[in-house]
Amino acid sequence: MRLLFSGLLLGLAIYCGLDPFNHRSTFGFPNFVSHKVDLPNWGDIPSESDSDNLLQKSEIKFMGQVQGPESIVFDPFGKGPYTGVADGRVVFWNGDRWVDFAFTSANRSTLCEPQPSPLGYLKNEHICGRPLGLRFDKRTGDLYIADAYFGLMKVGPEGGLATSLTTEAEGVPLTFTNDLDVDEDGIVYFTDSSTNYQRRNFLQLVFSAEDTGRVLKYDSATKETTVLVRNIQFPNGITLSKNGSFFIFCEGSIGRLTRYWLKGPKAGTTDILAILPGFPDNVRTNQDGDFWVALHCRRSSPNYWLSTRPKLRDFLLKLPIKAKYQFMLFIGGWPHGIIVKYSPEGEILQVLEDRPGKVVKAVSEVEEKDGKLWIGSVLMPFIAVYDLGLTN
């Protein structure tokens, strides 16, 4: 029996070392390195929760009609929603059906045809495009698009093929353009999540926690692109404050909201607005000036432990375990959507969640309109709508 057990252990060790089926999460990434995440103390991570799991009361709309609706916007006339989907289109709800509004790739082909799930488009995203953050310029009606592969783009009120505005900064290409906001003067603030990993390799970026992310500014008048903040671990959502005195952006790996001052004595500096209870995606400002933050999941104690121990993370990622299973371990075992509303001072005002992941399994963005939250997710084939009146 001892000999048999020893033989099994030896066989397992050889299998793990050789990985004959190339299942390990870092296969194909010979330069992959895990980085330490300097997290706040465990006790400083907010524990406020929604014990009623109110997100389960959301209405699921357009099931199967929109694959991976990351960002949701309404035009200056209140029409919509508009959303970017996994096959590279920006689509518009005209009141009866979804119609094509814009494209980010001039090379669309049969490779961009419908797939059974949002993840089915990953391997061809660099060809078909992947529109992520969307914002309308309220003055002109132009739609600004952060395409993960083609950079910062713009399309006019009539739609069609989007025009490229910028694809690099300081000679470094935009590799993972993620989200944006535009001010009243036409200046666009946007994030580039990594200079090493494209969006189709976002799991490796999550596992690595490397810090090549940037926050940038594009001046529509001068056509200049400027780096405002650099060396960020997975910068994601970005939004201007109601009065335009600052913007905030989400730091994905650390899990916090960082404020960048645009006006006043602190202009050009950053500070921490809030520590988040989990991993953020996008953030949006509502009409009251509060911020809705979409979180993929809560930070678990195993994740906290692994994030601060890159060598252990490297070891686990070299095991012949597929990336999707490593990711499930990373997020605590199952997908579960969380939305948190913050005041301009960084105080938690409201928490909405579906902790069991029964209805709203993932959240990428929250857009508040007429007392309702329009909830998009890059991983889901629908839009969820939550009536804020149910909270009262």
Side-chain angles (χ1 to χ4, degrees), residues 1-314:
M1 180 62 73
R2 182 180 298 177
L3 185 61
L4 176 62
F5 183 69
S6 299
L8 288 173
L9 283 180
L10 177 61
L12 181 62
I14 293 174
Y15 173 76
C16 290
L18 295 177
D19 186 22
F21 302 107
N22 300 324
H23 282 166
R24 70 178 184 272
S25 301
T26 56
F27 176 77
F29 299 90
N31 298 320
F32 179 90
V33 177
S34 290
H35 298 260
K36 182 179 180 180
V37 183
D38 291 321
L39 295 173
N41 294 326
W42 176 256
D44 293 332
I45 296 176
S47 59
E48 288 90 338
S49 64
D50 168 18
S51 59
D52 296 322
N53 288 298
L54 289 171
L55 278 187
Q56 292 184 7
K57 296 183 178 181
S58 301
E59 177 188 2
I60 301 303
K61 298 175 72 70
F62 317 119
M63 174 63 78
Q65 299 178 45
V66 283
Q67 294 280 8
E70 158 89 355
S71 186
I72 298 171
V73 291
F74 295 84
D75 67 25
F77 301 101
K79 295 180 180 179
Y82 297 72
T83 188
V85 291
D87 64 15
R89 295 174 296 149
V90 176
V91 294
F92 162 59
W93 178 253
N94 67 4
D96 296 313
R97 60 189 177 89
W98 290 99
V99 296
D100 293 349
F101 178 73
F103 307 90
T104 56
S105 172
N107 298 310
R108 295 182 62 80
S109 68
T110 55
L111 295 175
C112 311
E113 291 182 349
Q115 302 290 331
S117 79
L119 294 178
Y121 297 89
L122 274 177
K123 65 179 180 180
N124 294 319
E125 279 189 347
H126 62 297
I127 299 171
C128 304
R130 188 37 166 125
L132 296 178
L134 304 176
R135 298 280 194 166
F136 274 101
D137 185 332
K138 295 184 172 110
R139 305 166 308 147
T140 64
D142 293 335
L143 178 65
Y144 285 87
I145 305 168
D147 186 276
Y149 300 89
F150 301 131
L152 184 65
M153 310 186 80
K154 182 178 74 172
V155 67
E158 301 304 318
L161 180 62
T163 300
S164 176
L165 298 177
T166 182
T167 59
E168 61 87 26
E170 299 178 346
V172 179
L174 302 176
T175 304
F176 187 168
T177 320
N178 202 320
D179 195 24
L180 62 90
D181 202 355
V182 55
D183 72 10
E184 58 188 14
D185 296 318
I187 294 177
V188 183
Y189 301 94
F190 66 103
T191 56
D192 183 28
S193 294
S194 172
T195 60
N196 290 324
Y197 293 97
Q198 292 185 318
R199 200 201 87 88
R200 55 183 170 157
N201 308 127
F202 75 94
L203 287 180
Q204 284 70 32
L205 175 57
V206 170
F207 298 149
S208 171
E210 53 96 88
D211 64 351
T212 63
R214 302 176 290 176
V215 176
L216 309 99
K217 177 181 78 171
Y218 173 79
D219 190 320
S220 299
T222 65
K223 316 299 183 187
E224 293 181 343
T225 305
T226 308
V227 179
L228 300 179
V229 191
R230 64 189 78 234
N231 303 125
I232 314 168
Q233 293 172 298
F234 208 153
N236 205 321
I238 187 169
T239 193
L240 284 155
S241 65
K242 185 177 180 180
N243 64 7
S245 63
F246 63 89
F247 65 74
I248 61 174
F249 63 91
C250 298
E251 294 190 63
S253 299
I254 296 177
R256 69 187 182 194
L257 295 178
T258 296
R259 174 170 47 194
Y260 183 96
W261 290 97
L262 295 169
K263 300 176 182 178
K266 296 182 180 179
T269 66
T270 62
D271 55 25
I272 298 171
L273 182 72
I275 295 170
L276 301 171
F279 299 94
D281 199 319
N282 284 351
V283 55
R284 291 295 181 262
T285 309
N286 70 5
Q287 62 182 4
D288 297 323
D290 300 321
F291 305 113
W292 286 109
V293 183
L295 301 174
H296 281 295
C297 64
R298 285 187 175 274
R299 188 178 294 281
S300 64
S301 51
N303 169 268
Y304 184 93
W305 201 66
L306 285 170
S307 294
T308 57
R309 292 165 174 81
K311 290 184 179 180
L312 176 60
R313 207 158 73 245
D314 266 339

Side-chain angles (χ1 to χ4, degrees), residues 328-370:
M328 294 302 290
L329 172 66
F330 193 82
I331 67 173
W334 67 93
H336 48 287
I338 308 172
I339 298 169
V340 186
K341 182 165 75 169
Y342 284 86
S343 73
E345 294 73 38
E347 298 177 358
I348 292 179
L349 301 177
Q350 189 173 1
V351 179
L352 299 167
E353 59 187 316
D354 179 1
R355 204 150 190 173
K358 291 183 178 179
V359 179
V360 182
K361 294 181 173 65
V363 180
S364 294
E365 185 179 299
V366 183
E367 178 72 16
E368 181 178 341
K369 186 178 188 296
D370 300 332

